[in-house]
PDB file of all heavy atoms in Angstrom:
ATOM      1  N   VAL E 273      44.786  32.580 -61.384  1.00  0.00           N
ATOM      2  CA  VAL E 273      44.285  32.627 -62.747  1.00  0.00           C
ATOM      3  C   VAL E 273      42.780  32.828 -62.649  1.00  0.00           C
ATOM      4  O   VAL E 273      42.125  32.224 -61.808  1.00  0.00           O
ATOM      5  CB  VAL E 273      44.594  31.314 -63.501  1.00  0.00           C
ATOM      6  CG1 VAL E 273      43.922  31.284 -64.864  1.00  0.00           C
ATOM      7  CG2 VAL E 273      46.085  31.107 -63.635  1.00  0.00           C
ATOM      8  N   ARG E 274      42.241  33.690 -63.521  1.00  0.00           N
ATOM      9  CA  ARG E 274      40.795  33.923 -63.534  1.00  0.00           C
ATOM     10  C   ARG E 274      40.181  33.343 -64.800  1.00  0.00           C
ATOM     11  O   ARG E 274      40.743  33.497 -65.885  1.00  0.00           O
ATOM     12  CB  ARG E 274      40.485  35.418 -63.460  1.00  0.00           C
ATOM     13  CG  ARG E 274      40.902  36.036 -62.149  1.00  0.00           C
ATOM     14  CD  ARG E 274      40.538  37.497 -62.056  1.00  0.00           C
ATOM     15  NE  ARG E 274      41.084  38.239 -63.193  1.00  0.00           N
ATOM     16  CZ  ARG E 274      40.596  39.385 -63.634  1.00  0.00           C
ATOM     17  NH1 ARG E 274      39.542  39.931 -63.069  1.00  0.00           N
ATOM     18  NH2 ARG E 274      41.153  40.003 -64.659  1.00  0.00           N
ATOM     19  N   TYR E 275      39.054  32.692 -64.639  1.00  0.00           N
ATOM     20  CA  TYR E 275      38.245  32.222 -65.758  1.00  0.00           C
ATOM     21  C   TYR E 275      37.033  33.137 -65.795  1.00  0.00           C
ATOM     22  O   TYR E 275      36.246  33.177 -64.853  1.00  0.00           O
ATOM     23  CB  TYR E 275      37.792  30.777 -65.539  1.00  0.00           C
ATOM     24  CG  TYR E 275      38.831  29.737 -65.843  1.00  0.00           C
ATOM     25  CD1 TYR E 275      40.079  29.749 -65.235  1.00  0.00           C
ATOM     26  CD2 TYR E 275      38.559  28.720 -66.747  1.00  0.00           C
ATOM     27  CE1 TYR E 275      41.030  28.785 -65.514  1.00  0.00           C
ATOM     28  CE2 TYR E 275      39.500  27.749 -67.032  1.00  0.00           C
ATOM     29  CZ  TYR E 275      40.736  27.794 -66.409  1.00  0.00           C
ATOM     30  OH  TYR E 275      41.662  26.840 -66.693  1.00  0.00           O
ATOM     31  N   ILE E 276      36.881  33.889 -66.895  1.00  0.00           N
ATOM     32  CA  ILE E 276      35.819  34.883 -67.006  1.00  0.00           C
ATOM     33  C   ILE E 276      34.943  34.550 -68.207  1.00  0.00           C
ATOM     34  O   ILE E 276      35.444  34.255 -69.297  1.00  0.00           O
ATOM     35  CB  ILE E 276      36.405  36.299 -67.156  1.00  0.00           C
ATOM     36  CG1 ILE E 276      37.298  36.627 -65.957  1.00  0.00           C
ATOM     37  CG2 ILE E 276      35.303  37.334 -67.321  1.00  0.00           C
ATOM     38  CD1 ILE E 276      38.124  37.888 -66.124  1.00  0.00           C
ATOM     39  N   GLY E 277      33.616  34.644 -68.009  1.00  0.00           N
ATOM     40  CA  GLY E 277      32.673  34.375 -69.088  1.00  0.00           C
ATOM     41  C   GLY E 277      32.459  32.892 -69.279  1.00  0.00           C
ATOM     42  O   GLY E 277      32.642  32.094 -68.365  1.00  0.00           O
ATOM     43  N   GLY E 278      32.079  32.522 -70.473  1.00  0.00           N
ATOM     44  CA  GLY E 278      31.849  31.114 -70.781  1.00  0.00           C
ATOM     45  C   GLY E 278      30.733  30.513 -69.945  1.00  0.00           C
ATOM     46  O   GLY E 278      29.976  31.218 -69.284  1.00  0.00           O
ATOM     47  N   SER E 279      30.639  29.212 -69.965  1.00  0.00           N
ATOM     48  CA  SER E 279      29.607  28.509 -69.200  1.00  0.00           C
ATOM     49  C   SER E 279      30.105  28.225 -67.785  1.00  0.00           C
ATOM     50  O   SER E 279      31.312  28.234 -67.519  1.00  0.00           O
ATOM     51  CB  SER E 279      29.261  27.187 -69.883  1.00  0.00           C
ATOM     52  OG  SER E 279      30.354  26.290 -69.794  1.00  0.00           O
ATOM     53  N   ARG E 280      29.172  27.970 -66.893  1.00  0.00           N
ATOM     54  CA  ARG E 280      29.558  27.597 -65.528  1.00  0.00           C
ATOM     55  C   ARG E 280      30.415  26.334 -65.548  1.00  0.00           C
ATOM     56  O   ARG E 280      31.401  26.233 -64.830  1.00  0.00           O
ATOM     57  CB  ARG E 280      28.338  27.395 -64.639  1.00  0.00           C
ATOM     58  CG  ARG E 280      28.792  26.905 -63.270  1.00  0.00           C
ATOM     59  CD  ARG E 280      27.875  27.102 -62.129  1.00  0.00           C
ATOM     60  NE  ARG E 280      27.239  28.367 -61.966  1.00  0.00           N
ATOM     61  CZ  ARG E 280      27.757  29.393 -61.278  1.00  0.00           C
ATOM     62  NH1 ARG E 280      28.967  29.325 -60.768  1.00  0.00           N
ATOM     63  NH2 ARG E 280      27.057  30.496 -61.122  1.00  0.00           N
ATOM     64  N   ALA E 281      30.054  25.364 -66.387  1.00  0.00           N
ATOM     65  CA  ALA E 281      30.830  24.120 -66.471  1.00  0.00           C
ATOM     66  C   ALA E 281      32.284  24.411 -66.827  1.00  0.00           C
ATOM     67  O   ALA E 281      33.205  23.820 -66.265  1.00  0.00           O
ATOM     68  CB  ALA E 281      30.203  23.174 -67.492  1.00  0.00           C
ATOM     69  N   TRP E 282      32.505  25.335 -67.760  1.00  0.00           N
ATOM     70  CA  TRP E 282      33.872  25.698 -68.152  1.00  0.00           C
ATOM     71  C   TRP E 282      34.589  26.440 -67.027  1.00  0.00           C
ATOM     72  O   TRP E 282      35.732  26.107 -66.694  1.00  0.00           O
ATOM     73  CB  TRP E 282      33.831  26.555 -69.421  1.00  0.00           C
ATOM     74  CG  TRP E 282      35.180  27.062 -69.825  1.00  0.00           C
ATOM     75  CD1 TRP E 282      36.176  26.361 -70.430  1.00  0.00           C
ATOM     76  CD2 TRP E 282      35.678  28.389 -69.625  1.00  0.00           C
ATOM     77  NE1 TRP E 282      37.272  27.177 -70.635  1.00  0.00           N
ATOM     78  CE2 TRP E 282      36.982  28.432 -70.143  1.00  0.00           C
ATOM     79  CE3 TRP E 282      35.148  29.544 -69.063  1.00  0.00           C
ATOM     80  CZ2 TRP E 282      37.762  29.575 -70.113  1.00  0.00           C
ATOM     81  CZ3 TRP E 282      35.925  30.686 -69.041  1.00  0.00           C
ATOM     82  CH2 TRP E 282      37.213  30.694 -69.562  1.00  0.00           C
ATOM     83  N   ARG E 283      33.942  27.449 -66.458  1.00  0.00           N
ATOM     84  CA  ARG E 283      34.591  28.220 -65.379  1.00  0.00           C
ATOM     85  C   ARG E 283      34.950  27.339 -64.189  1.00  0.00           C
ATOM     86  O   ARG E 283      35.980  27.523 -63.563  1.00  0.00           O
ATOM     87  CB  ARG E 283      33.675  29.359 -64.896  1.00  0.00           C
ATOM     88  CG  ARG E 283      33.494  30.469 -65.891  1.00  0.00           C
ATOM     89  CD  ARG E 283      32.771  31.667 -65.285  1.00  0.00           C
ATOM     90  NE  ARG E 283      31.505  31.362 -64.647  1.00  0.00           N
ATOM     91  CZ  ARG E 283      30.325  31.293 -65.273  1.00  0.00           C
ATOM     92  NH1 ARG E 283      30.250  31.485 -66.579  1.00  0.00           N
ATOM     93  NH2 ARG E 283      29.216  31.030 -64.605  1.00  0.00           N
ATOM     94  N   ASN E 284      34.090  26.380 -63.880  1.00  0.00           N
ATOM     95  CA  ASN E 284      34.296  25.503 -62.720  1.00  0.00           C
ATOM     96  C   ASN E 284      35.125  24.266 -63.052  1.00  0.00           C
ATOM     97  O   ASN E 284      35.376  23.452 -62.172  1.00  0.00           O
ATOM     98  CB  ASN E 284      32.958  25.051 -62.147  1.00  0.00           C
ATOM     99  CG  ASN E 284      32.176  26.156 -61.483  1.00  0.00           C
ATOM    100  OD1 ASN E 284      32.481  27.330 -61.620  1.00  0.00           O
ATOM    101  ND2 ASN E 284      31.144  25.789 -60.752  1.00  0.00           N
ATOM    102  N   GLN E 285      35.523  24.117 -64.326  1.00  0.00           N
ATOM    103  CA  GLN E 285      36.237  22.907 -64.759  1.00  0.00           C
ATOM    104  C   GLN E 285      35.449  21.658 -64.341  1.00  0.00           C
ATOM    105  O   GLN E 285      36.001  20.666 -63.860  1.00  0.00           O
ATOM    106  CB  GLN E 285      37.668  22.870 -64.189  1.00  0.00           C
ATOM    107  CG  GLN E 285      38.537  24.023 -64.662  1.00  0.00           C
ATOM    108  CD  GLN E 285      38.753  23.992 -66.168  1.00  0.00           C
ATOM    109  OE1 GLN E 285      39.333  23.058 -66.695  1.00  0.00           O
ATOM    110  NE2 GLN E 285      38.272  25.012 -66.865  1.00  0.00           N
TER     111      GLN E 285
END
Side-chain angles (χ1 to χ4, degrees):
V273 173
R274 294 183 305 156
Y275 281 56
I276 302 169
S279 68
R280 176 158 314 271
W282 175 76
R283 290 189 307 274
N284 291 13
Q285 298 297 297

